[in-house]
Amino acid sequence: LATGSSPLEFYKQIRESDLDLSNLISVNLDEYVGLTGDDPQSYRYFMEKNLFDAKPFKESYLPSGVEESADQEVIRYNKILEEHPVDLQILGIGRNGHIGFNEPGTSFDSQTHLVQLDDSTIEANSRFFDKIEDVPTQAISMGIANILAAKSIVLFAYGESKAQAIKGTVEGERTEKVPASALQGHPNVTIIADKEALNLLSR
């Protein structure tokens, strides 16, 4: 499961549906380092507010953002992903083409890892914080190889600010400079986007 503004409508429709998720297991993409799960800006808090409180899963795994144990958390989370192979992967996309918090230059072979966030990512996420200095500079994120291991992937993208990233993902070179372009090598990807996010595509 992904966080951020892109999957919000998806989660809203699930909340308002008669779907029963109580026999399913969820595994989240990422979490800020330095925020506890009860922090309103943490992704655990986001998931509880936007999905879990209304539609609880049998079990939900999210990375811990506790700074002192970040290295151990990477090991723990890779083990969780080994034990719970992903059937459906939900993604958003960053303006710079990141998926999860896999910033440009991340290896397509990467597993869960500690990420130093790009300045552009920090700036984009600052809208959720009182001031940009409050935005965490690190995160724990599933790697691109973890994402590509999913049986099927759905990526949501809305707004003109995502247009360049979508063009690079769909029509550009498959390159680590655009992390989402790794999806070109996956057999089952669906992109759900609005006209603004698609307006740079040539076809």
Side-chain angles (χ1 to χ4, degrees):
L1 297 174
T3 53
S5 56
S6 297
L8 278 175
E9 178 63 24
F10 174 64
Y11 295 149
K12 178 176 181 285
Q13 291 192 29
I14 292 177
R15 290 196 311 270
E16 295 174 353
S17 75
D18 59 0
L19 289 171
D20 179 5
L21 308 182
S22 62
N23 200 38
L24 301 178
I25 293 172
S26 70
V27 184
N28 258 70
L29 268 171
D30 44 28
E31 179 60 281
Y32 285 124
V33 171
L35 300 185
T36 58
D38 58 358
D39 189 301
Q41 299 300 338
S42 75
Y43 288 161
R44 177 178 290 276
Y45 188 94
F46 175 100
M47 292 306 305
E48 288 172 353
K49 178 182 176 184
N50 289 291
L51 185 60
F52 296 159
D53 287 349
K55 293 287 186 178
F57 285 72
K58 178 180 180 181
E59 200 156 8
S60 291
Y61 294 101
L62 298 92
S64 167
V66 177
E67 196 165 2
E68 293 76 15
S69 58
D71 292 337
Q72 290 81 3
E73 183 63 8
V74 165
I75 296 170
R76 183 186 79 92
Y77 217 66
N78 277 320
K79 189 170 188 298
I80 287 170
L81 288 164
E82 286 177 15
E83 294 171 351
H84 301 285
V86 175
D87 294 303
L88 172 63
Q89 175 73 62
I90 303 300
L91 293 176
I93 186 170
R95 297 173 188 174
N96 62 3
H98 74 233
I99 45 177
F101 270 131
N102 295 288
E103 301 284 21
T106 303
S107 170
F108 287 170
D109 297 325
S110 60
Q111 304 288 322
T112 304
H113 57 293
L114 185 63
V115 180
Q116 188 70 36
L117 300 179
D118 276 6
D119 289 344
S120 62
T121 299
I122 293 170
E123 182 183 352
N125 290 347
S126 66
R127 68 189 188 276
F128 301 116
F129 292 80
D130 291 336
K131 54 186 187 296
I132 195 168
E133 290 80 12
D134 294 337
V135 184
T137 59
Q138 291 183 313
I140 292 173
S141 178
M142 284 171 52
I144 293 175
N146 299 126
I147 292 169
L148 294 179
K151 292 178 183 176
S152 59
I153 296 172
V154 175
L155 183 150
F156 296 100
Y158 303 113
E160 190 177 357
S161 66
K162 303 297 178 73
Q164 191 62 52
I166 290 296
K167 180 174 177 60
T169 298
V170 176
E171 295 182 343
E173 176 189 358
R174 190 171 187 265
T175 170
E176 292 174 356
K177 294 178 182 178
V178 182
S181 68
L183 301 177
Q184 294 175 16
H186 193 281
N188 189 2
V189 177
T190 300
I191 295 176
I192 297 175
D194 61 9
K195 182 179 179 180
E196 288 74 21
L198 299 173
N199 67 11
L200 294 182
L201 295 181
S202 60
R203 62 182 191 274

